[in-house]
Amino acid sequence: MCLTGFIHLFFEAYFVINHKTLAGSQELFGQLWKEYSLSDSRYLTSDPFLICMEAVTAFAWGPLAFCIAYCIAVQHPARHALQLLISVGQVYGDVLYYATSLLEISYCRPEGYYFWFYYFFFNFIWMLVGCYYATQSITEITKAFAKLQEFGKSQKNFKTDNVLKKGN
């Protein structure tokens, strides 16, 4: 979660803040974004969808990832609810990212390396990790509610047994 937080809050926020001047940037993050834009040229054209998507990713998912890291460290009960939120948000963002570029004209250079490694692989990692953590959180939340339901039934049975014993 800390790595996710750093990537989102610093690297992707750099794009959101500097998207208009990215093409001429000589800074490290600017150079990295220009390299990545070889797989998706929309990053150099200030595409409105990408600015919005990256803004949500940077300023919502970035800080939330650090919050989740804290929740993991202190075993806070909100961990899985927050982890589910960020995971579903990440997968949803990637689905939209893939869909908006695949439904329009190609924004990628013709060399397969840029498409398969930069565009497909780098983004697919986020989908795999998001699906993994969403599944983990759903499983843990389901277990917690099952235990709560089981406890509720045992409490009801305990009360019923006590009423019957008092009645005899």
Side-chain angles (χ1 to χ4, degrees), residues 16-51:
V16 174
I17 294 166
N18 298 292
H19 66 89
K20 290 182 181 177
T21 59
L22 194 61
S25 176
Q26 295 302 312
E27 297 173 355
L28 175 63
F29 282 175
Q31 292 296 318
L32 291 173
W33 276 113
K34 286 192 284 187
E35 179 67 20
Y36 182 76
S37 74
L38 295 173
S39 72
D40 189 343
S41 62
R42 295 179 298 170
Y43 280 94
L44 290 179
T45 63
S46 294
D47 180 79
F49 168 74
L50 290 180
I51 295 167

Side-chain angles (χ1 to χ4, degrees), residues 26-165:
Q26 295 302 312
E27 297 173 355
L28 175 63
F29 282 175
Q31 292 296 318
L32 291 173
W33 276 113
K34 286 192 284 187
E35 179 67 20
Y36 182 76
S37 74
L38 295 173
S39 72
D40 189 343
S41 62
R42 295 179 298 170
Y43 280 94
L44 290 179
T45 63
S46 294
D47 180 79
F49 168 74
L50 290 180
I51 295 167
C52 293
M53 181 199 63
E54 293 292 359
V56 169
T57 302
F59 302 118
W61 303 153
L64 185 58
F66 288 116
C67 181
I68 295 166
Y70 171 78
C71 288
I72 291 169
V74 299
Q75 298 180 344
H76 193 279
R79 177 241 176 127
H80 285 289
L82 296 175
Q83 185 173 289
L84 181 59
L85 175 68
I86 196 173
S87 297
V88 170
Q90 188 66 58
V91 171
Y92 181 67
D94 281 337
V95 167
L96 289 178
Y97 176 69
Y98 280 140
T100 58
S101 66
L102 294 176
L103 295 175
E104 297 177 2
I105 60 169
S106 176
Y107 294 99
C108 185
R109 290 178 52 105
E111 297 91 348
Y113 173 80
Y114 294 108
F115 177 80
W116 289 108
F117 188 66
Y118 285 4
Y119 175 79
F120 182 79
F121 179 71
F122 279 167
N123 290 290
F124 196 70
I125 289 172
W126 292 107
M127 289 187 74
L128 287 178
V129 171
C131 287
Y132 171 79
Y133 283 114
T135 302
Q136 181 189 57
S137 292
I138 289 167
T139 301
E140 291 301 316
I141 290 168
T142 302
K143 284 181 191 177
F145 275 100
K147 285 181 182 179
L148 184 62
Q149 195 173 40
E150 184 180 305
F151 178 74
K153 285 180 183 177
S154 69
Q155 288 295 97
K156 186 178 177 181
N157 290 341
F158 178 75
K159 288 178 184 177
T160 304
D161 289 347
N162 281 342
V163 168
L164 291 175
K165 285 179 186 177

Side-chain angles (χ1 to χ4, degrees), residues 3-23:
L3 177 61
T4 296
F6 278 110
I7 290 171
H8 290 336
L9 190 57
F10 297 106
F11 185 61
E12 290 171 331
Y14 179 90
F15 167 76
V16 174
I17 294 166
N18 298 292
H19 66 89
K20 290 182 181 177
T21 59
L22 194 61

